[in-house]
Amino acid sequence: MSIEAKTQELLEELGFFQDWTERYEYVIGLGKQLSAMPQDQQTSDKLIKGCQSQVWLDASYTDGRMQYRADSDSLITKGMIALFIRVLDGETPDAILQADMGFIDQTGLKEHLAPTRANALNLMATQMKQRALEHASD
């Protein structure tokens, strides 16, 4: 499934919820589905700097595709990074670099976040693309 198709599927799922609190609960649920990152892997080089909460992002490159793992000390933040992982995990670096990350604005979540948490979404997207850039056109 393409990034665009995964994005559309995610937006449709979020569209089922009329209330923004229901959307947040759904996003938190996505975060809970992410496997916990072992403590010994929650290192400073994996920390996304500038986020209000601590967010660790790990990326690997196997068979031409990126795999992402993440964790956070905040449930909502872990859910937010889970949105990006759902859309970008398993994709080629070049596809990730070309992906329109503006879909997050269409979720309706950003407008109910504190400015620091909303900024974290941009930092997460940037870091995921940065990790993909390291393997682009390999």
Side-chain angles (χ1 to χ4, degrees):
M1 185 181 300
S2 69
I3 290 175
E4 294 79 17
K6 288 190 270 187
T7 299
Q8 192 57 42
E9 181 181 80
L10 179 64
L11 291 173
E12 287 173 10
E13 287 173 16
L14 287 168
F16 289 129
F17 305 106
Q18 302 303 313
D19 183 283
W20 67 269
T21 56
E22 292 175 341
R23 287 183 183 173
Y24 276 118
E25 289 173 15
Y26 179 75
V27 170
I28 288 169
L30 291 176
K32 287 179 178 178
Q33 292 174 19
L34 289 180
S35 298
M37 186 180 286
Q39 288 283 163
D40 65 335
Q41 293 180 17
Q42 294 179 5
T43 56
S44 61
D45 62 316
K46 295 176 184 156
L47 196 61
I48 298 178
K49 292 166 183 46
C51 292
Q52 179 179 348
S53 303
Q54 291 189 306
V55 185
W56 297 272
L57 176 65
D58 190 23
S60 60
Y61 179 72
T62 308
D63 297 327
R65 305 221 172 246
M66 297 297 300
Q67 286 78 44
Y68 293 101
R69 289 187 29 211
D71 208 340
S72 177
D73 61 355
S74 160
L75 288 176
I76 189 63
T77 304
K78 189 170 180 175
M80 292 185 313
I81 194 118
L83 294 172
F84 290 115
I85 289 174
R86 181 165 167 193
V87 171
L88 300 178
D89 191 58
E91 297 294 334
T92 66
D94 291 336
I96 292 168
L97 291 172
Q98 294 173 19
D100 179 6
M101 303 304 272
F103 78 89
I104 206 69
D105 294 331
Q106 297 173 43
T107 65
L109 298 171
K110 230 176 174 181
E111 59 203 45
H112 297 285
L113 291 172
T116 54
R117 288 214 192 272
N119 184 51
L121 289 168
N122 296 330
L123 294 170
M124 291 174 196
T126 299
Q127 281 299 309
M128 292 182 89
K129 283 194 173 213
Q130 184 63 40
R131 305 290 169 89
L133 182 60
E134 296 167 8
H135 302 286
S137 299
D138 277 357

